[in-house]
Amino acid sequence: MKILKISLVLFLLVSISSVNAQKLSRIEKKILKQVANNNDEALTLLEKVVNINSGTMNVLGVKKVGTVFSEEFKKIGFTPTWIPMPSEMERAGHLFCELNTGNVQGKKLLLIGHLDTVFEENSPFQTAKKEGDKFYGPGIGDIKGGNIIILYALKALSDTGVLKNTQIIAAFTGDEEKVGFPLSVSRKDLINASKRSDIALGFEGATGLNYATVARRSSGSWLLKTKGVRAHSSGIFTKKVGAGAIFEMSRILNAFYNELPEQNLTFNPATIVGGTIVDYNSAQSKGTTFGKTNIVSQEAIVKGDLRCLTNEQIENTIAKMKAIISTNLPKTSATISFELKYPPMKPTPGNYAVLSVLDAISVAMGKGNVKAYDPSKRGAGDISFVANYVDCLDGLGTMGKGSHTPKEYIDLNHFQELTQRAALLIYRLINQK
């Protein structure tokens, strides 16, 4: 009986705590109101930055967008710093805006966005326009709308006077869509900022009100080359000539298809050329080939994509791919190389803990529970570079569709409430011991 009473008391305490966590405080209601008051201003600024072309390779355009955000962050007490990249990288640089009021008592936050888009200066899609509840524009969802959510969530907190004893870094990279190499240079400052933080929040597009991202897969590529003996086709399959480069390539790709598949792993062969003479430009992913039907193929090349959820999965997959290419058909050989660009952001207990905070806020706002989104449905993102150093949550940006297309838009029905939710998430985290 005593054990039952203790269990009942513990159950009641947990239930009361849960209910309280799902209620909004007086200050939180004030924050929501302030976001609403600033919403029209936020959309006006969003239109302004969308109308500035900032394709990754438009260095001046990226800097111009950075200047706009720099001035806005100054207004709410943040110190902006422009971090240039070496000229040979052909990238604009990054904008980091920091608030450190001293005597930090809660979690130190790193908020991540990016200034660049996939739409370069020669794109016909250049201007923002509203059509009903849809707001169209180049990069409006990926990720300028998310950048505005960062700014106006923080502005509401500043207006409400709740940013005392906090450290917040808002980091906007200038080359997320086409990352600069070497990564040791282009992502050094982002990683260093994470080492001074406790939690990173990413503002890539939301996957709905009731999902957030606790994991993202890596992004990388592989280049596979096979070689065979060039000879008259009448000699194919003989001991002297063997199978040729194209049959060897076919064997390998077929083995990849049959032997590699597992959960959260994809490996897409995107480009292939093969024949007697092959000219392939890996950087541009295009090539030419020459071959006659009466000549055994001498060379074949395939370039593909590789995405994994963990570093262990990357290592295991690479090992399997190398094992497959090592058992060659007669008189053929094969080599494979890998270029790993974005690391994975694996799901961790810490990431789920941040998700639970967002979940409680969403319930308190009457928007329902927030669950972890399927990582196999998300691409790579900047937050992955800091995932080994801090707890992470992504997908906190705008809702919409058509990302990377001339029909990219955000849904205005949810813009304000997503900003409100972000503001409350930041508020609760900076007050979390």
Side-chain angles (χ1 to χ4, degrees):
M1 180 65 72
K2 186 175 181 180
I3 293 175
L4 286 174
K5 287 182 178 180
I6 293 174
S7 298
L8 180 60
V9 170
L10 289 173
F11 172 77
L12 290 173
L13 287 173
V14 171
S15 299
I16 292 170
S17 175
S18 176
V19 170
N20 288 335
Q22 294 175 2
K23 290 183 178 179
L24 297 178
S25 68
R26 179 184 60 82
I27 293 177
E28 289 177 329
K29 291 177 182 178
K30 190 175 180 181
I31 292 168
L32 295 184
K33 185 177 180 181
Q34 195 58 44
V35 170
N37 291 341
N38 295 336
N39 193 60
D40 288 343
E41 179 186 312
L43 291 174
T44 298
L45 184 63
L46 175 57
E47 184 171 12
K48 177 180 179 179
V49 294
V50 168
N51 284 332
I52 302 172
N53 180 278
S54 59
T56 308
M57 308 311 294
N58 180 4
V59 170
L60 293 179
V62 173
K63 288 181 177 179
K64 189 174 181 179
V65 173
T67 298
V68 174
F69 279 106
S70 177
E71 293 302 316
E72 294 298 326
F73 272 91
K74 283 181 184 177
K75 295 176 184 178
I76 58 173
F78 280 68
T79 301
T81 301
W82 182 259
I83 303 171
M85 292 292 102
S87 58
E88 61 269 21
M89 288 178 61
E90 299 181 329
R91 299 297 188 274
H94 314 311
L95 173 67
F96 281 42
C97 303
E98 182 167 353
L99 178 71
N100 191 326
T101 58
N103 191 27
V104 178
Q105 298 179 3
K107 298 297 185 183
K108 300 175 183 178
L109 303 187
L110 173 61
L111 313 180
I112 302 175
H114 60 87
L115 304 172
D116 65 317
T117 76
V118 299
F119 301 95
E120 299 293 345
E121 290 181 282
N122 60 355
S123 167
F125 189 41
Q126 293 287 352
T127 56
K129 67 174 182 177
K130 294 179 184 176
E131 291 185 359
D133 295 329
K134 295 178 180 179
F135 198 174
Y136 291 86
I140 196 165
D142 189 11
I143 188 179
K144 290 181 178 180
N147 297 341
I148 294 293
I149 287 179
I150 293 174
L151 173 61
Y152 277 85
L154 292 172
K155 179 173 171 54
L157 297 176
S158 177
D159 293 344
T160 313
V162 297
L163 289 180
K164 298 176 182 178
N165 303 320
T166 61
Q167 177 187 298
I168 301 174
I169 303 171
F172 303 95
T173 58
D175 60 348
E176 195 272 349
E177 298 294 0
K178 193 172 184 181
V179 66
F181 288 94
L183 293 172
S184 59
V185 174
S186 66
R187 290 301 175 267
K188 177 185 71 175
D189 300 285
L190 187 64
I191 292 172
N192 286 344
S194 74
K195 292 178 179 178
R196 298 194 292 115
S197 306
D198 300 308
I199 295 172
L201 303 177
F203 287 80
E204 294 284 356
T207 50
L209 283 177
N210 303 111
Y211 291 96
T213 301
V214 298
R216 300 187 77 123
R217 295 189 300 163
S218 65
S219 175
S221 62
W222 45 275
L223 186 66
L224 174 62
K225 298 180 179 181
T226 60
K227 291 188 179 297
V229 176
R230 178 177 177 175
H232 195 283
S233 62
S234 63
I236 195 168
F237 308 140
T238 64
K239 290 183 178 180
K240 187 176 181 180
V241 177
I246 291 178
F247 267 123
E248 172 64 353
M249 182 64 76
S250 300
R251 177 196 70 82
I252 293 172
L253 294 179
N254 187 59
F256 284 177
Y257 180 84
N258 287 312
E259 299 177 29
L260 294 182
E262 61 183 60
Q263 188 175 10
N264 295 315
L265 166 67
T266 55
F267 46 95
N268 173 51
T271 311
I272 183 168
V273 289
T276 305
I277 300 174
V278 172
D279 182 15
Y280 183 71
N281 186 318
S282 181
Q284 297 182 8
S285 294
K286 66 179 183 179
T288 59
T289 185
F290 168 80
K292 292 184 176 181
T293 57
N294 62 350
I295 302 175
V296 176
S297 59
Q298 181 173 265
E299 185 176 9
I301 299 175
V302 169
K303 188 173 184 180
D305 174 74
L306 178 65
R307 297 176 185 268
C308 302
L309 187 59
T310 66
N311 286 321
E312 293 77 13
Q313 189 173 48
I314 293 173
E315 293 170 2
N316 291 339
T317 301
I318 288 176
K320 290 178 182 178
M321 293 173 87
K322 288 182 175 179
I324 288 171
I325 73 165
S326 67
T327 56
N328 310 116
L329 292 177
K331 296 297 181 180
T332 67
S333 63
T335 59
I336 191 168
S337 59
F338 298 87
E339 184 179 49
L340 304 178
K341 298 177 182 178
Y342 281 73
M345 167 185 158
K346 68 179 181 180
T348 66
N351 295 359
Y352 275 98
V354 182
L355 176 65
S356 70
V357 178
L358 181 66
D359 175 63
I361 291 168
S362 182
V363 171
M365 290 176 63
K367 303 301 178 182
N369 293 107
V370 181
K371 301 177 181 179
Y373 193 66
D374 183 352
S376 68
K377 297 179 180 179
R378 293 232 64 158
D382 271 340
I383 197 168
S384 297
F385 287 102
V386 306
N388 286 336
Y389 307 99
V390 289
D391 297 331
C392 297
L393 191 67
D394 203 354
L396 299 173
T398 56
M399 287 175 57
K401 291 184 179 180
S403 178
H404 290 203
T405 77
K407 295 183 179 180
E408 182 172 343
Y409 74 88
I410 63 169
D411 185 347
L412 292 175
N413 290 314
H414 300 293
F415 181 80
Q416 178 177 298
E417 60 191 357
L418 287 167
T419 308
Q420 290 173 323
R421 196 169 73 172
L424 294 190
L425 177 61
I426 293 168
Y427 173 72
R428 288 196 179 184
L429 292 176
I430 61 176
N431 286 283
Q432 190 179 80
K433 304 299 183 182

